[in-house]
Amino acid sequence: MPYSTLPESWIHAAATLRARRESVGMSLAQLASRTRIGQNYLAAIEEARFDRCGAAIYAIGFTRSVARTLELPEGPIVAAVRDGHAVAPTSAVPAPPPAPPRRLVPNLGIAATAALVLSLLGSVRP
């Protein structure tokens, strides 16, 4: 999704978080260590790419944790992320290819029983 099509609330939340992190002199690695959130997710958050955090619940949880760690009021930032998820287009996941048709393999138990019955019937003489 190009940056111009990202929800405005995401852009504002990301800018707020990045500005605060930089103002306290914390690196992404330090923030990752304190929040236990992967640097790739933190970088995505600061790029306003909350859609790269997985489901909306993960993006909201990560954002809440980052805001707490940076001593920011979490309510407005979490609301911005939640609002952005409400208006952001979801990426269409392609449908899996259809399964190949199943080959019908006779049940070997039935085939073996039938062969045994036929051999017994053939060996019985009236």
Side-chain angles (χ1 to χ4, degrees):
M1 186 174 350
Y3 194 75
S4 62
T5 62
L6 292 172
E8 189 65 34
S9 63
W10 283 3
I11 296 169
H12 178 70
T16 301
L17 292 171
R18 179 185 292 237
R20 177 63 178 178
R21 180 185 61 78
E22 290 174 349
S23 73
V24 297
M26 190 180 296
S27 70
L28 273 180
Q30 291 169 323
L31 185 59
S33 175
R34 291 183 70 186
T35 61
R36 298 182 184 216
I37 298 171
Q39 284 189 49
N40 56 335
Y41 292 121
L42 294 174
I45 287 170
E46 288 193 355
E47 294 168 3
R49 297 306 309 260
F50 295 95
D51 56 331
R52 292 188 180 163
C53 293
I57 193 74
Y58 293 115
I60 292 166
F62 291 166
T63 303
R64 177 174 279 128
S65 179
V66 170
R68 276 188 198 150
T69 301
L70 296 174
E71 298 176 353
L72 286 170
E74 62 188 67
I77 295 173
V78 168
V81 174
R82 188 175 286 129
D83 292 345
H85 272 287
V87 298
T90 57
S91 61
V93 177
R102 290 183 54 190
R103 259 186 21 181
L104 296 177
V105 178
N107 185 330
L108 293 180
I110 294 172
T113 303
L116 180 64
V117 168
L118 287 175
S119 70
L120 287 175
L121 288 175
S123 64
V124 176
R125 299 205 171 167

